[in-house]
């Protein structure tokens, strides 16, 4: 199964000789209601509802809570905005990316991951080039403890060749980021692929 052509923004798939229409190949969110696929196996190793403590110079601590569940796609994911290189990057929050209603984000082998790098092969179509982390090795943290107002970061470690993904959720009161999705910033910087996601869910409350 691979993406053969694009017509009026709709990707066409060839599956056993039948042509099936899927959603646009453009960057952003793609999804399918989870009730339509009750057999899909979901792994969730890190919650999207998390909290962190900050300790000031006097030793006083304050706890802040964040909930990114609105950015999580039960079946589907996001194609990151990318003006940096020629790859496509498939991302999800706290869950794996699935290829439902999409012509780019196919699994890496027989496994699904929360972050993958996809390359268009002239003979095979879009194929997974590398997986960039796993849910089993995921962790939340501050972007910068001295500037907590910036937001928080989610890291997926344990990727292919030791690579990892860091998604920086930047506080932006003007958007929830659900439709915009993540933006690819840089690749393999100290073994980490960096993405930025502007969202009001990352703002201190």
């Amino acid at each position: 199964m691979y993406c053969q052509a694009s017509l009026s923004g709709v990707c066409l798939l060839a599956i056993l000789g039948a042509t099936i229409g899927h959603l646009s190949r453009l960057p952003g969110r793609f999804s399918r209601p989870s009730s339509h696929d009750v057999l899909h196996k979901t792994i969730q190793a890190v919650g999207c509802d998390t909290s962190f403590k900050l300790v000031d110079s006097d030793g006083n601590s304050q706890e802040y809570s964040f909930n990114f569940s609105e950015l999580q796609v039960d079946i589907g994911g996001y194609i990151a905005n990318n003006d940096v290189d020629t790859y496509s990057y498939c991302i999800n929050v706290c869950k794996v990316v699935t290829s439902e209603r999409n012509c780019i984000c196919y699994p890496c082998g027989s496994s699904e991951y929360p972050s993958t790098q996809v390359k268009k092969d002239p003979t095979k179509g879009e194929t997974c080039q590398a997986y960039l982390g796993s849910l089993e090795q995921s962790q939340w943290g501050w972007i910068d403890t001295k500037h907590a107002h910036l937001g928080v970061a989610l890291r997926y470690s344990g990727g292919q060749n030791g690579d990892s993904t860091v998604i920086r959720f930047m506080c932006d009161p003007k958007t929830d980021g659900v439709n915009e999705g993540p933006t690819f910033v840089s690749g393999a910087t100290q073994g980490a692929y960096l993405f930025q996601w502007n969202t009001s869910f990352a703002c201190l409350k």
Side-chain angles (χ1 to χ4, degrees):
M1 179 173 67
Y2 63 92
C3 188
Q4 287 191 318
S6 180
L7 178 62
S8 299
V10 176
C11 193
L12 303 178
L13 287 180
I15 305 176
L16 299 178
T19 300
I20 298 177
H22 279 229
L23 290 186
S24 171
R25 295 158 52 96
L26 298 176
R29 181 182 179 115
F30 62 94
S31 64
R32 175 181 178 185
S34 57
S35 59
H36 290 184
D37 192 354
V38 296
L39 297 179
H40 181 75
K41 182 179 179 181
T42 300
I43 302 173
Q44 183 168 336
V46 60
C48 278
D49 187 357
T50 187
S51 61
F52 307 96
K53 286 185 178 181
L54 275 180
V55 180
D56 62 24
S57 58
D58 296 323
N60 301 313
S61 65
Q62 184 172 354
E63 188 169 19
Y64 295 93
S65 297
F66 302 90
N67 191 333
F68 294 93
S69 59
E70 292 295 322
L71 300 180
Q72 184 184 80
V73 182
D74 287 334
I75 298 179
Y78 295 83
I79 299 174
N81 301 286
N82 180 12
D83 294 325
V84 178
D85 60 25
T86 59
Y87 294 102
S88 294
Y89 293 92
C90 304
I91 299 289
N92 206 348
V93 182
C94 310
K95 286 192 176 182
V96 297
V97 176
T98 64
S99 60
E100 297 296 335
R101 301 179 68 80
N102 176 268
C103 287
I104 292 179
C105 301
Y106 295 125
C108 290
S110 59
S111 301
E112 296 171 330
Y113 299 91
S115 177
T116 58
Q117 182 189 62
V118 177
K119 181 179 181 180
K120 185 172 183 178
D121 187 298
T123 60
K124 299 179 181 179
E126 272 80 2
T127 57
C128 179
Q129 185 77 3
Y131 62 92
L132 307 177
S134 68
L135 283 183
E136 291 80 1
Q137 298 186 50
S138 51
Q139 184 178 11
W140 288 99
W142 292 107
I143 292 175
D144 186 340
T145 55
K146 295 182 179 179
H147 301 92
H149 64 279
L150 292 178
V152 297
L154 174 61
R155 176 183 286 272
Y156 296 127
S157 300
Q160 192 169 323
N161 301 318
D163 289 330
S164 62
T165 292
V166 175
I167 308 172
R168 290 180 175 176
F169 295 94
M170 308 294 293
C171 171
D172 187 344
K174 296 179 291 185
T175 179
D176 58 18
V178 171
N179 293 320
E180 294 83 353
T183 296
F184 177 59
V185 177
S186 62
T189 302
Q190 295 182 341
Y193 286 75
L194 180 61
F195 298 82
Q196 179 171 315
W197 200 326
N198 290 6
T199 173
S200 55
F201 298 124
C203 297
L204 299 178
K205 298 183 175 92

